[in-house]
Amino acid sequence: MLHPGNVVEITLGRSCQHQGMRRVKPLTTVVVLVAILIGTGIWWLFFRGPSSADCAPVRELLSFNKTQIDAMNAKTHIPEAGSYEKETGPSAADYRGWADGLADRAAKVTAADLTGPASELAKTADRLVRARIDFDDQSAHTAPGAAMPPAAMAVKAFNDQYETQVKALATTCPA
């Protein structure tokens, strides 16, 4: 037989189970949803990066760059020490064609946030080519075993700058 005290205990037991659940007010839900929508809108407008159409000329620039670098590397042959083979490498015309091709493709980049980096890459490549041609000329007049010509430092500096700029563009407009 149940006593009235037992019924109260059972009722209290059930009500204790529901104390941990809190009811979310509708106003709180609306405020959270509006904040999420505003945050998404701000990200979409300012932080999503350039569009695919804006990146197309940059991807063409980077593709041309890779193709030309691969072609120039294929022309490079450094013989082993003691070998009578002749060292070969890209000509000044190969380097000039690469730099001019980069400049042509950089001129086709029209997105406001991409024109500057693309143009700077082309200018750096041009400086690198001029430094490389100077280095080749100075190397031709350097005795075997002598210190590197002064243009070697310029070639290294421009090459490092060029590689940094290529990586930045590739990050902004991944393939």
Side-chain angles (χ1 to χ4, degrees):
M1 209 179 220
L2 294 172
H3 294 296
N6 288 341
V7 173
V8 172
E9 287 178 24
I10 293 173
T11 305
L12 287 176
R14 285 187 191 152
S15 67
C16 289
Q17 291 174 353
H18 296 289
Q19 282 180 351
M21 297 177 71
R22 294 170 70 182
R23 195 155 188 247
V24 177
K25 296 180 181 178
L27 180 60
T28 305
T29 304
V30 170
V31 169
V32 168
L33 289 175
V34 168
I36 290 172
L37 286 173
I38 290 172
T40 303
I42 289 171
W43 174 81
W44 182 258
L45 287 174
F46 299 107
F47 301 110
R48 68 184 164 106
S51 71
S52 184
D54 290 343
C55 281
V58 172
R59 286 191 199 102
E60 170 60 30
L61 171 87
L62 295 173
S63 175
F64 172 81
N65 180 59
K66 182 176 179 351
T67 302
Q68 292 300 302
I69 294 296
D70 290 345
M72 287 189 286
N73 285 340
K75 291 182 178 185
T76 303
H77 173 70
I78 301 172
E80 293 183 27
S83 172
Y84 291 105
E85 293 178 359
K86 186 176 181 181
E87 183 175 322
T88 61
S91 68
D94 293 328
Y95 287 120
R96 189 78 270 155
W98 166 65
D100 291 346
L102 286 178
D104 290 344
R105 283 155 182 81
K108 294 177 184 175
V109 177
T110 58
D113 54 337
L114 297 173
T115 55
S119 175
E120 284 303 311
L121 174 66
K123 289 176 185 175
T124 301
D126 184 60
R127 290 181 199 119
L128 175 58
V129 166
R130 284 186 277 135
R132 177 61 197 232
I133 292 170
D134 287 346
F135 172 76
D136 290 344
D137 288 342
Q138 291 175 10
S139 294
H141 299 94
T142 303
M148 294 291 272
M153 296 288 283
V155 170
K156 173 142 178 40
F158 288 132
N159 190 61
D160 291 346
Q161 183 179 0
Y162 153 79
E163 287 180 3
T164 300
Q165 290 169 332
V166 167
K167 286 178 187 172
L169 277 173
T171 301
T172 302
C173 291

